[in-house]
Amino acid sequence: MYTLPTGQVLIGDCVSIMNKLPEKSVDMIFADPPYNLQLKQELYRPNMTKVDGVDDEWDRFQSLADYDRFTEAWLSAARRVMKD
């Protein structure tokens, strides 16, 4: 039987962690997923401030298909563990 930690943030691979949790056992998930914002050229906001592209390893994907697979995996895991 898995004992759910309370009052703490679970740090690690989100899909792996959520896959260990019981179904419908979580009240809230704070999601700040990777944006896959790997810019090949400069990008500016409407106020003309420059958008910094992502260069961290956790936010790099080999392809859009890989990014889509990751997104579907974490959303499915989140849906499974969230209470009604």
Side-chain angles (χ1 to χ4, degrees):
M1 177 83 179
Y2 184 88
T3 302
L4 289 174
T6 59
Q8 63 181 288
V9 175
L10 304 179
I11 299 173
D13 179 275
C14 65
V15 177
S16 295
I17 290 173
M18 286 189 285
N19 284 342
K20 294 176 186 172
L21 300 176
E23 187 174 335
K24 298 187 185 307
S25 62
V26 174
D27 292 311
M28 181 185 81
I29 295 172
F30 178 84
D32 185 17
Y35 298 107
N36 196 30
L37 188 59
Q38 301 170 41
L39 300 177
K40 296 188 180 7
Q41 60 188 28
E42 291 184 353
L43 177 65
Y44 291 90
R45 296 178 186 90
N47 68 358
M48 297 309 293
T49 57
K50 185 177 177 184
V51 174
D52 290 328
V54 176
D55 57 7
D56 295 328
E57 187 62 34
W58 62 267
D59 198 14
R60 291 185 184 181
F61 296 89
Q62 294 297 314
S63 68
L64 288 176
D66 287 343
Y67 179 70
D68 287 348
R69 278 189 288 278
F70 169 76
T71 300
E72 185 174 342
W74 83 259
L75 286 170
S76 295
R79 176 183 285 165
R80 186 188 68 77
V81 299
M82 288 295 297
K83 292 178 181 176
D84 292 334

